[in-house]
């Protein structure tokens, strides 16, 4: 009987030890949802009027933005009214104008959103960035009365600061700012990391 009690005590202690250590080993890091801020941006701006521009001159254009949390860009999303096998997408450091990432996206069909997964690009909280494309096709989204919007625009964990553009095919940081439209649809999938 004494041997049985000792055996029972050892087995019980082992079970408790395994149980406790497995609880400690669990990853308690919260899982954050991936978000794409473009739809919320259009809702907040009231840009509900859309016009198609096809073969309308080459421009480098896009949105300046600031993450309100630390996170990663995991994919680029793009939809155009025309086809283009090699649309150049650039993600910039807004302050230094340095190119952080350059990707090429194949738009094989008009009016179909393409998602290109990329190796994670880490973004710092409260740092300003810009995402642009170089294209001669785009959707022009605006208010019905063409009035300006007031930036910044909050879309989930992303704050959009302004829309910028410059003419030409070179990979040049856009110098012109417009507040009464956005030429798109260019966006990204963002996931908070902490």
């Amino acid at each position: 009987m004494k041997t049985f009690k000792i055996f029972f005590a050892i087995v019980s202690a082992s079970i408790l030890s395994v149980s406790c250590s497995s609880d400690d080993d669990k990853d308690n890091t919260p899982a954050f949802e991936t978000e794409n801020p473009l739809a919320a941006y259009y809702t907040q701006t009231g840009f509900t009027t859309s016009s198609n521009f096809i073969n309308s001159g080459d421009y480098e254009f896009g949105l300046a933005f600031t993450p309100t949390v630390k996170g990663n860009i995991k994919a680029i999303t793009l939809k155009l009214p025309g086809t283009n096998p090699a649309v150049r997408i650039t993600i910039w450091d807004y302050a230094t104008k340095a190119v952080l990432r350059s990707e090429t996206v194949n738009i094989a069909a008009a009016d179909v959103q393409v998602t290109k997964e990329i190796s994670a690009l880490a973004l710092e909280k409260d740092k300003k960035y810009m995402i642009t494309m170089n294209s001669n096709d785009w959707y022009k989204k605006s208010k019905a009365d063409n009035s300006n919007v007031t930036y910044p625009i909050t879309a989930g964990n992303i704050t959009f600061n302004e829309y910028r553009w410059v003419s030409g095919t070179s990979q040049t940081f856009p110098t012109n700012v417009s507040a009464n439209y956005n030429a798109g649809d260019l966006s990204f999938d963002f996931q908070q990391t902490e």
Side-chain angles (χ1 to χ4, degrees):
M1 183 69 169
K2 189 174 188 179
T3 306
F4 177 75
K5 286 182 181 179
I6 292 172
F7 176 74
F8 182 77
I10 291 172
V11 170
S12 296
S14 296
I15 291 171
L16 287 173
S17 172
V18 169
S19 175
C20 291
S21 66
S22 66
D23 286 345
D24 292 341
D25 293 342
K26 285 184 183 174
D27 184 7
N28 292 324
T29 305
F32 297 104
E33 294 293 320
T34 299
E35 57 187 293
N36 189 309
L38 190 63
Y41 165 80
Y42 283 136
T43 298
Q44 296 296 322
T45 58
F47 288 166
T48 56
T49 300
S50 183
S51 304
N52 293 354
F53 285 78
I54 299 173
N55 297 323
S56 297
D58 295 296
Y59 293 90
E60 186 83 25
F61 52 96
L63 289 162
F65 65 94
T66 304
T68 59
V69 295
K70 189 173 181 177
N72 292 324
I73 290 181
K74 301 173 60 174
I76 293 166
T77 61
L78 179 60
K79 183 168 76 169
L80 296 175
T83 61
N84 186 331
V87 180
R88 185 184 64 233
I89 309 299
T90 307
I91 301 171
W92 309 79
D93 179 306
Y94 188 93
T96 66
K97 314 299 187 261
V99 173
L100 300 177
R101 186 69 61 89
S102 188
E103 299 282 346
T104 302
V105 177
N106 177 11
I107 303 298
D111 301 316
V112 176
Q113 180 174 294
V114 172
T115 299
K116 179 181 181 181
E117 292 190 15
I118 63 171
S119 58
L121 176 62
L123 302 183
E124 294 298 319
K125 177 182 188 273
D126 299 329
K127 181 175 172 63
K128 201 169 179 182
Y129 301 90
M130 183 151 189
I131 184 167
T132 63
M133 66 175 160
N134 194 279
S135 182
N136 64 3
D137 305 325
W138 64 87
Y139 302 102
K140 180 182 178 186
K141 303 273 181 88
S142 62
K143 292 183 180 184
D145 64 1
N146 284 319
S147 63
N148 288 347
V149 297
T150 302
Y151 285 94
I153 305 291
T154 302
N157 287 314
I158 301 297
T159 299
F160 288 105
N161 309 108
E162 62 195 358
Y163 167 77
R164 288 181 160 256
W165 60 275
V166 68
S167 62
T169 57
S170 65
Q171 194 171 31
T172 303
F173 190 87
T175 52
N176 303 296
V177 177
S178 295
N180 65 343
Y181 75 98
N182 175 60
D185 287 346
L186 171 64
S187 190
F188 52 89
D189 289 345
F190 176 79
Q191 186 174 37
Q192 180 179 350
T193 54
E194 61 181 52

